[in-house]
Amino acid sequence: MSPRTTRATHNPPGDTSPVSRPHKGGVPGTTGSPDAPDASGGSGPTTAPHAGRAPRAGHRRGDGRWGWLFVSPMVLVLGLFLVLPILMALWVSLLHWDGQSNPFGGQAEFAGLDNYRSLLTQDGLDRTLFATSLRNTAYYVLLTVPLQTALALVLALVVNQRMLRGRSALRTVFFFPSVTSSIAVSTVFLFLFQGSGAVNTMLSWIGIKGPNWFADSRGVLSLLLGALGLVDADHPTGVLAAHSFMGLSWYQWLSGPSVAMCTLILLAVWTTSGTFMLIFLAALQDIPRELEESAAIEGVNRFQMLRYVTLPALRPVLFLVLTLGLISTWQVFDQVYVMGQGAPGNTTLTPAFLSYSSAFDDADFGQGAAIAFVLLALILCMTALQRWALRERNAGPGRTR
């Protein structure tokens, strides 16, 4: 028998000690009272040795200092090139500054919130132009983001087929417009959609007379309602024409994107779908194959597989794609600059281009900075709304992502 084995003994009358005595070394034979004396004669609870010691506060403070030391270059870069310029632009938005003097030396006139009031509350050309840019961009976002997201998802599902031949070539072809210069692509679209361009030529083959795309300021919804005989597109009357908001009549708000803006929407969808296709493709290849095999065993069809397996797994990536699309479409500038600079009739004017025009063409940098910050607030609000709409509704408290 092992020397550490405890043997049971009979207690003499009146003895209240435990049945078995502790051996040398402090190893108890039975589980006695936590306050029973140990083998060395001391009293107190018997505790098992700890597997490891908790890190000391000094070590944690040292790790924190080393962590800040390693990230300090990036914090410094972000502070100098991101946070500091934002604060400087915020100060400029509170001034009447023409760009010729030092805005931080007290030489520019302090305007307070006048630049923001002229955009949002005061009647005038500034508010009318800003409302026009918001209307144009709202239609641009509402049409571009869903179309490019849906097209990117379809392309990703196509090139993700394991039995498809030439998948690598198709990925390259679909992604190629995304790596091409936006200025070059915009110039090509100018030639394609001009009055005698290739698009109108192909439309004439099927008996359709194409419009002069970049010179047509009519809204497509007003054209559709006019074709149905519901409204007079050239001389609207009634409630929609009698009421206004921010300097634009309700009819102007609801007339839809202009024909010229539709070309910008087609350009944006064609050039950005390839990038989002790669994001969706990486997420599709990360879905465990066991899920698809289990669903196939259950006898689900492809539509059910897409709805109940693929799309739920793509929820975080879908939020990323929609957020990137939302931010990029609200900040569109280069295509507008190349393809008309707001023409025809300011129907392709966007807040980003209006901010640039106010600052560099009209020498009103305070107004341009104010437009930029209003645009930033709109983007943040819409991103938060989009996150709320795509949240996991069946998740418990504290589990929403």
Side-chain angles (χ1 to χ4, degrees):
M1 184 177 293
S2 172
R4 299 177 65 88
T5 304
T6 304
R7 299 187 181 185
T9 57
H10 295 285
N11 294 335
D15 188 2
T16 59
S17 62
V19 175
S20 57
R21 310 279 184 179
H23 291 262
K24 285 186 177 182
V27 180
T30 60
T31 305
S33 171
D35 295 331
D38 57 11
S40 59
S43 62
T46 304
T47 57
H50 293 286
R53 293 181 178 271
R56 297 179 180 177
H59 289 285
R60 289 195 296 268
R61 288 194 296 267
D63 293 341
R65 287 193 294 267
W66 279 107
W68 279 109
L69 179 63
F70 280 114
V71 302
S72 58
M74 182 54 64
V75 172
L76 182 62
V77 170
L78 290 176
L80 288 177
F81 297 100
L82 182 63
V83 178
L84 184 60
I86 290 176
L87 296 178
M88 294 170 65
L90 181 60
W91 171 251
V92 170
S93 70
L94 304 177
L95 304 175
H96 288 308
W97 183 47
D98 58 0
Q100 302 298 321
S101 58
N102 182 8
F104 308 104
Q107 302 175 4
E109 179 186 355
F110 183 76
L113 298 179
D114 289 346
N115 291 324
Y116 294 94
R117 293 192 189 99
S118 65
L119 294 175
L120 302 175
T121 60
Q122 295 178 357
D123 294 334
L125 181 60
D126 292 335
R127 191 178 70 164
T128 302
L129 287 176
F130 185 63
T132 302
S133 68
L134 290 181
R135 179 203 61 184
N136 299 336
T137 311
Y139 283 113
Y140 182 81
V141 173
L142 289 176
L143 292 176
T144 300
V145 174
L147 288 176
Q148 70 185 9
T149 304
L151 180 59
L153 180 58
V154 170
L155 294 178
L157 291 173
V158 169
V159 299
N160 193 47
Q161 300 295 321
R162 298 184 180 89
M163 303 303 295
L164 180 66
R165 294 183 178 180
R167 290 186 299 170
S168 301
L170 288 177
R171 294 173 188 172
T172 304
V173 171
F174 294 153
F175 184 67
F176 183 75
S178 300
V179 298
T180 307
S181 170
S182 61
I183 304 299
V185 175
S186 300
T187 305
V188 171
F189 263 65
L190 283 174
F191 285 99
L192 291 177
F193 284 90
Q194 61 182 344
S196 58
V199 174
N200 284 348
T201 301
M202 289 186 292
L203 291 177
S204 64
W205 295 346
I206 57 177
I208 299 177
K209 183 180 179 180
N212 192 357
W213 297 89
F214 294 107
D216 198 335
S217 61
R218 296 172 297 173
V220 292
L221 292 181
S222 63
L223 290 176
L224 179 60
L225 294 177
L228 297 175
L230 300 177
V231 297
D232 185 356
D234 297 326
H235 302 89
T237 58
V239 177
L240 296 180
H243 294 78
S244 63
F245 175 69
M246 292 184 67
L248 297 181
S249 66
W250 290 4
Y251 179 81
Q252 290 175 314
W253 280 103
L254 301 176
S255 61
S258 66
V259 177
M261 178 60 76
C262 290
T263 59
L264 293 179
I265 293 172
L266 292 176
L267 172 62
V269 172
W270 188 68
T271 55
T272 57
S273 298
T275 301
F276 296 143
M277 176 202 69
L278 293 184
I279 298 177
F280 278 126
L281 184 61
L284 287 173
Q285 294 178 351
D286 195 46
I287 298 177
R289 188 174 298 180
E290 292 79 6
L291 291 178
E292 300 178 356
E293 294 175 352
S294 300
I297 293 174
E298 294 294 333
V300 300
N301 55 37
R302 291 193 174 185
F303 176 77
Q304 293 173 331
M305 179 83 72
L306 176 65
R307 179 179 179 183
Y308 297 107
V309 177
T310 305
L311 290 181
L314 293 179
R315 182 187 295 270
V317 179
L318 182 62
F319 172 75
L320 172 65
V321 170
L322 290 176
T323 302
L324 293 177
L326 181 70
I327 295 174
S328 62
T329 49
W330 272 104
Q331 294 179 341
V332 59
F333 172 82
D334 45 356
Q335 295 92 340
V336 176
Y337 184 84
V338 174
M339 302 174 70
Q341 300 186 7
N346 292 325
T347 56
T348 59
L349 184 66
T350 62
F353 183 79
L354 181 61
S355 175
Y356 165 83
S357 178
S358 298
F360 293 95
D361 294 339
D362 301 336
D364 192 350
F365 287 84
Q367 186 84 349
I371 295 173
F373 277 100
V374 174
L375 179 61
L376 174 62
L378 285 173
I379 292 175
L380 293 177
C381 291
M382 290 191 175
T383 303
L385 180 62
Q386 180 178 285
R387 180 180 179 86
W388 174 83
L390 294 177
R391 74 190 189 282
E392 296 181 5
R393 290 175 171 79
N394 58 346
R399 292 182 58 190
T400 56
R401 294 182 295 173

